[in-house]
Amino acid sequence: MGANRIDDADAGTETKGRMSSDERREQIVEAAIAVFGAKGYVGTTTDDVARAASVSQPYVVRLFGTKENLFLAALGSALDRLLAAFRSAPAVSDPHARGELMGQTYLNLLEVRGLHQILSQAFLLGAHPVIGPAARGGFAQVWHFLRDEAGFSPEDAQKFLATGMLINTMVGLRMTEEYGRDAGMTELFDECFPVSIQMVLDEAPRVDEPW
């Protein structure tokens, strides 16, 4: 067996066929984004992530060493996807139009379960000696992108971030349950997602889902 292959008995047998170690690592990171996003850093165990990824817990530890390293890998992946999504938006000259296009790419990231929530979780861990610096660095990366690459003014960048944080809060609270039930929350959804409401309702996590 080559160095890039793993034994199915070690990794878990629920995933059909064989995968390279890089593919299996990506699968675990994807699961970690979902589970850490839903349960937080303290509330998640490596066993939780292993079960979500259909691999064994010893294999997760063998790849990442510690829960801390696993969280950092998941956070790094989430930030990379976020910035890649922003960069994929057409670079139109009008800042408002560009903000709208980038905002749509941000909503499209709902297909990556837990991405918005893991960012919020990381931004609450500023006092953690290892995760705190990584989270601050990631947040600064986003700000510098908005100012230096996207060309936003400080005011536009602040408003864009504020809207993103509001969306993260709504996703984390699983507020889609209230759409159509609570007039105020329905109004908020319609205001935040005037052209994307159905996509948000379809993709955002719901109360009865684990993540």
Side-chain angles (χ1 to χ4, degrees):
M1 184 179 297
N4 287 334
R5 295 289 176 176
I6 58 175
D7 190 289
D8 284 341
D10 186 34
T13 57
E14 292 182 28
T15 301
K16 294 182 179 179
R18 292 181 181 274
M19 301 171 69
S20 71
S21 59
D22 287 343
E23 289 171 332
R24 191 75 73 174
R25 187 183 192 280
E26 183 178 345
Q27 174 186 333
I28 294 168
V29 169
E30 191 94 1
I33 291 172
V35 181
F36 280 124
K39 301 181 68 174
Y41 178 70
V42 174
T44 298
T45 66
T46 54
D47 191 51
D48 292 332
V49 175
R51 285 198 301 271
S54 298
V55 301
S56 70
Q57 190 269 352
Y59 184 71
V60 172
V61 174
R62 194 171 84 190
L63 275 186
F64 295 93
T66 64
K67 183 173 79 166
E68 182 181 278
N69 289 340
L70 180 57
F71 186 91
L72 289 172
L75 174 60
S77 177
L79 286 165
D80 287 347
R81 294 182 195 207
L82 173 66
L83 291 170
F86 286 163
R87 290 186 174 109
S88 74
V92 297
S93 58
D94 177 41
H96 177 75
R98 185 162 192 186
E100 291 290 324
L101 292 167
M102 287 169 51
Q104 187 59 52
T105 68
Y106 190 59
L107 292 181
N108 291 342
L109 286 170
L110 283 169
E111 69 185 18
V112 183
R113 186 53 60 100
L115 185 141
H116 299 77
Q117 298 101 298
I118 197 175
L119 294 174
S120 295
Q121 298 283 2
F123 296 155
L124 294 173
L125 294 171
H128 191 282
V130 176
I131 296 173
R136 286 190 290 276
F139 190 86
Q141 259 189 298
V142 175
W143 176 262
H144 289 304
F145 169 81
L146 295 175
R147 293 284 288 118
D148 302 334
E149 290 190 46
F152 284 18
S153 69
E155 181 181 7
D156 287 340
Q158 182 269 327
K159 289 180 178 178
F160 187 84
L161 284 177
T163 301
M165 292 298 179
L166 173 60
I167 291 170
N168 286 13
T169 299
M170 295 167 72
V171 171
L173 286 171
R174 309 194 178 205
M175 289 298 297
T176 53
E177 301 291 324
E178 299 306 313
Y179 188 79
R181 297 180 185 174
D182 182 291
M185 293 301 96
T186 301
E187 178 183 59
L188 176 60
F189 269 87
D190 288 337
E191 180 66 26
C192 289
F193 316 115
V195 298
S196 305
I197 183 63
Q198 192 57 53
M199 185 270 284
V200 172
L201 294 176
D202 290 342
E203 295 291 339
R206 306 187 72 82
V207 169
D208 60 353
E209 295 176 327
W211 38 75

